[in-house]
């Protein structure tokens, strides 16, 4: 008599609204956890879905030796919020949400570039003051951009900026056709009108945009960060803007989120701050849920998993 295969236990680290997992009814035993219960339930799960991708609970709760999930999926592009030495050294497979956020983030970057070039923040402020003040704005065509981060998001940003007529250089961890290496970064920054940070957070990229790098940029340059807040030394950026080393900046990601109401960053001149929303278009959570369901169905059938993260590097390699 054949022994029936046990139904895998899928543990979800919850965030509201919950993912739609109805297609997995009967194919997974779905359980839920929050930060308080995650450590207790992790050893009994086959799969962990990190739906609360802003939480650092996985890092704190990940078991050392003993039972642990065979697969962890995070509903985000970055994995720095969950990676810890015990997880990195284990045989647990980690996947991410690569592909969901690429074009929305690229569109958001293009919007920021156009907003700064056309001085829209000032226009909106003057409109609120009922003040008519004619000004000239910057033409974006024939300007230069340096996009740091050569993964799918960085490539989508580069493609969208090129469509605006911007000459765009892409910088990645390893030089290859169409991608510059880290050794060329300073040279490209010195020529760029637009610098876009879209790199994953690793030991090599943490704090890479500091006073020295802002000093390399042109006084007319603008800086945009849609990668990770920790890519930027925020005090150095504030000084660069205050001293007019660069002309402007936009941060969609910050070191500490949400940004406190009394943070000095709110008062930095020529800085646009948005609440980590560049990739969040209408229906994005449904896309994330559908992506995970497709991955689960492949995994349950013994098929290959897409979006497998190199846990040592902190991103999906080969792109």
């Amino acid at each position: 008599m054949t022994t029936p295969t046990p139904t895998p236990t899928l543990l979800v680290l919850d965030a509201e609204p919950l993912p739609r997992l109805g297609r997995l009814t009967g194919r997974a035993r779905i359980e839920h956890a929050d930060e308080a219960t995650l450590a207790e339930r992790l050893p009994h799960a086959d799969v962990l879905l990190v739906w609360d991708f802003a939480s650092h609970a996985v890092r704190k709760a990940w078991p050392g030796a003993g039972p642990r999930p065979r697969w962890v999926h995070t509903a985000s592009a970055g994995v720095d919020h969950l990676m810890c030495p015990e997880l990195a050294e284990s045989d647990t497979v980690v996947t991410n949400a690569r592909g969901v956020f690429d074009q929305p983030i690229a569109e958001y970057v293009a919007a920021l570039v156009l907003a700064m070039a056309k001085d829209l923040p000032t226009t909106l402020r003057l409109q609120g003051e009922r003040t008519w003040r004619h000004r000239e704005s910057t033409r974006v065509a024939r300007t230069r951009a340096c996009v740091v981060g050569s993964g799918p998001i960085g490539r989508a940003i580069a493609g969208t900026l090129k469509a605006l007529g911007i000459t765009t250089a892409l910088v990645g961890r390893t030089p290859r056709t169409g991608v510059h290496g880290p050794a060329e970064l300073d040279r490209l920054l010195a020529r760029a009108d637009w610098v876009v940070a879209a790199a994953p957070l690793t030991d090599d990229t943490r704090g890479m945009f500091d006073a020295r790098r802002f000093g390399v940029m042109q006084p007319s340059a603008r800086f945009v960060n849609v990668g990770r807040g920790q890519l930027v030394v925020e005090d150095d950026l504030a000084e660069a803007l205050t001293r007019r080393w660069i002309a402007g900046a936009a941060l969609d990601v910050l070191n500490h989120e949400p940004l406190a109401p009394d943070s000095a960053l709110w008062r930095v001149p020529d800085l646009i701050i948005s609440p980590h929303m560049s990739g969040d278009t209408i229906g994005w959570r449904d896309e994330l849920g559908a992506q995970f369901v497709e991955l689960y169905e492949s995994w349950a059938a013994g098929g290959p998993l897409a979006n497998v993260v190199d846990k040592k590097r902190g991103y999906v390699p080969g792109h």
Side-chain angles (χ1 to χ4, degrees):
M1 183 176 179
T2 303
T3 303
T5 303
T7 303
T9 297
L10 166 60
L11 181 62
V12 182
L13 179 58
D14 286 342
E16 294 292 339
L18 295 177
R20 298 181 180 180
L21 302 175
R23 271 171 52 186
L24 301 185
T25 301
R27 289 186 283 177
R29 181 185 300 106
I30 300 174
E31 299 181 356
H32 297 270
D34 57 19
E35 293 192 2
T37 60
L38 183 63
E40 174 189 352
R41 298 184 179 180
L42 266 177
H44 309 290
D46 297 291
V47 179
L48 172 65
L49 168 58
V50 185
W51 191 247
D52 185 358
F53 51 79
S55 171
H56 293 267
V58 176
R59 252 197 254 165
K60 301 173 184 176
W62 190 258
R68 55 183 176 265
R70 291 176 279 160
W71 167 35
V72 173
H73 177 79
T74 179
S76 61
V79 298
D80 50 278
H81 60 291
L82 58 87
M83 202 57 65
C84 61
E86 293 80 10
L87 175 54
E89 292 163 10
S90 73
D91 58 0
T92 297
V93 176
V94 175
T95 58
N96 71 357
R98 183 172 64 93
V100 172
F101 300 107
D102 307 355
Q103 195 56 39
I105 292 177
E107 292 171 4
Y108 200 87
V109 169
L112 290 170
V113 165
L114 290 169
M116 288 189 281
K118 305 308 177 185
D119 198 21
L120 293 185
T122 301
T123 296
L124 294 173
R125 177 176 59 80
L126 292 175
Q127 179 180 346
E129 298 171 359
R130 301 183 183 182
T131 299
W132 182 280
R133 184 186 301 164
H134 181 269
R135 303 172 326 280
E136 295 178 344
S137 64
T138 301
R139 178 187 294 187
V140 298
R142 298 197 294 273
T143 59
R144 296 175 181 270
C146 175
V147 179
V148 182
S150 60
I153 292 174
R155 296 200 307 273
I157 292 170
T160 302
L161 295 183
K162 287 177 182 177
L164 295 174
I166 301 174
T167 301
T168 304
L170 197 58
V171 179
R173 181 176 182 270
T174 306
R176 54 195 183 276
T177 303
V179 178
H180 300 271
E184 297 183 76
L185 178 56
D186 285 355
R187 176 181 66 83
L188 295 169
L189 292 180
R191 303 173 61 192
D193 301 289
W194 311 99
V195 176
V196 183
L201 180 62
T202 67
D203 290 341
D204 292 331
T205 62
R206 188 182 302 273
M208 69 184 300
F209 289 100
D210 56 8
R212 189 188 71 78
R213 286 261 161 74
F214 292 124
V216 167
M217 297 179 197
Q218 302 181 80
S220 59
R222 271 101 168 190
F223 173 77
V224 176
N225 186 15
V226 289
R228 280 290 179 267
Q230 293 79 9
L231 300 178
V232 178
V233 180
E234 290 174 348
D235 287 346
D236 290 358
L237 173 61
E239 182 178 14
L241 289 167
T242 301
R243 293 177 177 270
R244 306 298 299 170
W245 295 350
I246 61 174
L251 299 178
D252 184 56
V253 288
L254 295 113
N255 276 268
H256 301 287
E257 299 179 2
L259 186 64
D262 60 352
S263 171
L265 285 176
W266 292 113
R267 300 184 295 277
V268 173
D270 300 303
L271 175 61
I272 298 172
I273 295 173
S274 56
H276 204 149
M277 59 182 283
S278 60
D280 302 348
T281 52
I282 294 170
W284 65 286
R285 289 185 177 88
D286 290 339
E287 287 187 55
L288 288 172
Q291 180 190 55
F292 173 73
V293 168
E294 290 181 7
L295 288 172
Y296 183 92
E297 289 174 339
S298 177
W299 175 82
L305 279 171
N307 296 2
V308 175
V309 172
D310 182 321
K311 294 183 292 183
K312 300 295 185 182
R313 296 182 182 180
Y315 55 87
V316 179
H319 299 280

